[in-house]
Amino acid sequence: MTLPRSTSTSSDLNDARDALAGRLRELRRAAGLTGLQLATSLSWQPSKVSKIEHSKQTPSDADIRAWCRAAGAEQETEGLLVALHTLETRYAEWQRQFRAGVATVQTQTARREESTDLLRIFEPTFVPGLLQTPEYARHRFAEVTHKFGHRQDADAAVAERMRRQEVLYRPGKRFHMVVTEAVLHYALCPLEVMLGQVDRMISLSMLPSVRLGIIPFETRYTIAPAHGFWIHDADLVQVETFSAGLNLAQPGEVELYTKVFETLALDADYDRKARTLLTRTAETISDRLEVEAEQS
């Protein structure tokens, strides 16, 4: 099959970030300030100016306002803020988002899901958040803490993720989720947690609103399961990287990811076959738990 070429790539995002950084650098130079002088005037670490100017750190609204004020270029503030917000719409850094707390990010995600009629999800590594048990979710938020080096509001985040799942029961909503069988076997949580998680997936797969597909290990892929993504109706594709969430809304991008999803979905088992696979996995996990109990 021939896939359409994406009209916008990650290079576009990098170009936008570089353009914003370059404009800030120009304003500093036009004011006759060195990086050290600007940092000193703003009570910043000198490294912050360097990181912003070299696209290593995305400035906040307050950073841009302070920068323009120090450079005597306050007339440039609004234009730069528009550029920043446009960039954030496409590229949302986790470090910046998590400053408000993981629970806040979950609330924002819930709003987007509530406004979506058809949500298509492909996950090659994780159980989708809408299917997670509280225990599995807690381990995912612990991973966030490990990656970003600061404590998160785990209890509130878990509660908010569970609240998100209420959308599965709302009339008119449809969810087509496809995961690889590997998702059921990665050691991302204790075995007893995964056992409960598999049982939860069996139950939710019976909901009228949920179509859950599992791609078996033996499947020969037409398209490699390179990364997970979420398609909201025909308007938005979300992709999560280690550092940021990408929000792709160009028609060519949405079309490309839709084609990829449809191809992957054809390789999945559904309904009775999927539940048989899940049940077999649960039995395997139970056997492993029994062995561990005997050895302890």
Side-chain angles (χ1 to χ4, degrees):
M1 97 185 260
T2 301
L3 294 175
R5 182 178 178 180
S6 175
T7 59
S8 177
T9 66
S10 58
S11 64
D12 297 315
L13 297 173
N14 291 332
D15 289 345
R17 296 182 74 185
D18 290 343
L20 176 60
R23 184 56 185 146
L24 290 170
R25 183 169 54 248
E26 290 171 3
L27 293 179
R28 173 183 61 77
R29 290 175 175 172
L33 297 172
T34 65
L36 178 60
Q37 289 171 331
L38 177 63
T40 300
S41 70
L42 297 174
S43 299
W44 291 354
Q45 291 293 326
S47 60
K48 180 172 180 176
V49 172
S50 177
K51 288 178 180 177
I52 289 175
E53 290 191 351
H54 291 86
S55 302
K56 302 300 183 183
Q57 178 177 333
T58 303
S60 65
D61 287 20
D63 292 338
I64 286 181
R65 290 192 177 94
W67 191 298
C68 291
R69 187 166 56 248
E74 292 181 277
Q75 72 280 3
E76 300 285 341
T77 302
E78 290 307 312
L80 289 170
L81 288 175
V82 169
L84 173 63
H85 297 160
T86 299
L87 175 62
E88 288 178 331
T89 299
R90 298 288 312 283
Y91 185 94
E93 290 177 301
W94 296 128
Q95 278 281 24
R96 298 191 68 203
Q97 292 192 77
F98 290 152
R99 287 173 191 165
V102 180
T104 299
V105 175
Q106 292 299 300
T107 301
Q108 294 168 347
T109 301
R111 292 196 193 104
R112 188 175 294 114
E113 290 166 348
E114 289 164 1
S115 65
T116 301
D117 293 324
L118 171 61
L119 180 56
R120 286 164 288 185
I121 301 169
F122 173 70
E123 286 288 0
T125 307
F126 307 107
V127 174
L130 289 173
L131 302 181
Q132 291 178 9
T133 64
E135 294 79 11
Y136 186 95
R138 190 172 298 279
H139 283 276
R140 302 285 57 76
F141 292 128
E143 183 179 334
V144 170
T145 297
H146 178 75
K147 282 191 290 191
F148 294 101
H150 53 84
R151 288 289 174 186
Q152 299 291 348
D153 47 343
D155 290 341
V158 170
E160 191 60 25
R161 177 160 289 182
M162 295 305 102
R163 191 192 72 78
R164 277 176 51 199
Q165 296 181 6
E166 294 174 5
V167 75
L168 297 175
Y169 302 91
R170 295 189 181 176
K173 299 291 187 181
R174 291 184 295 145
F175 303 88
H176 188 173
M177 308 183 199
V178 177
V179 301
T180 64
E181 186 176 354
V183 166
L184 309 177
H185 295 275
Y186 281 127
L188 302 180
C189 61
L191 284 175
E192 58 270 20
V193 171
M194 198 63 210
L195 182 59
Q197 179 59 72
V198 171
D199 183 65
R200 175 72 170 160
M201 294 174 74
I202 293 173
S203 297
L204 291 180
S205 72
M206 299 181 189
L207 290 177
S209 64
V210 175
R211 179 166 170 76
L212 175 61
I214 303 174
I215 303 177
F217 278 129
E218 62 270 17
T219 298
R220 179 166 182 171
Y221 287 90
T222 303
I223 297 177
H227 61 77
F229 56 90
W230 299 47
I231 307 174
H232 294 262
D233 293 323
D235 306 316
L236 175 70
V237 177
Q238 291 181 292
V239 178
E240 294 187 355
T241 70
F242 281 118
S243 62
L246 307 181
N247 297 299
L248 311 178
Q250 295 288 336
E253 292 171 321
V254 176
E255 183 183 359
L256 172 64
Y257 274 92
T258 299
K259 292 286 188 182
V260 171
F261 181 85
E262 290 174 350
T263 301
L264 291 166
L266 287 174
D267 290 331
D269 287 342
Y270 295 90
D271 303 320
R272 182 176 298 177
K273 280 189 175 182
R275 285 189 281 275
T276 297
L277 193 157
L278 287 166
T279 300
R280 187 169 65 242
T281 301
E283 292 170 351
T284 299
I285 295 173
S286 294
D287 291 342
R288 290 177 61 187
L289 285 170
E290 288 181 8
V291 171
E292 288 184 1
E294 292 172 357
Q295 294 176 342
S296 63

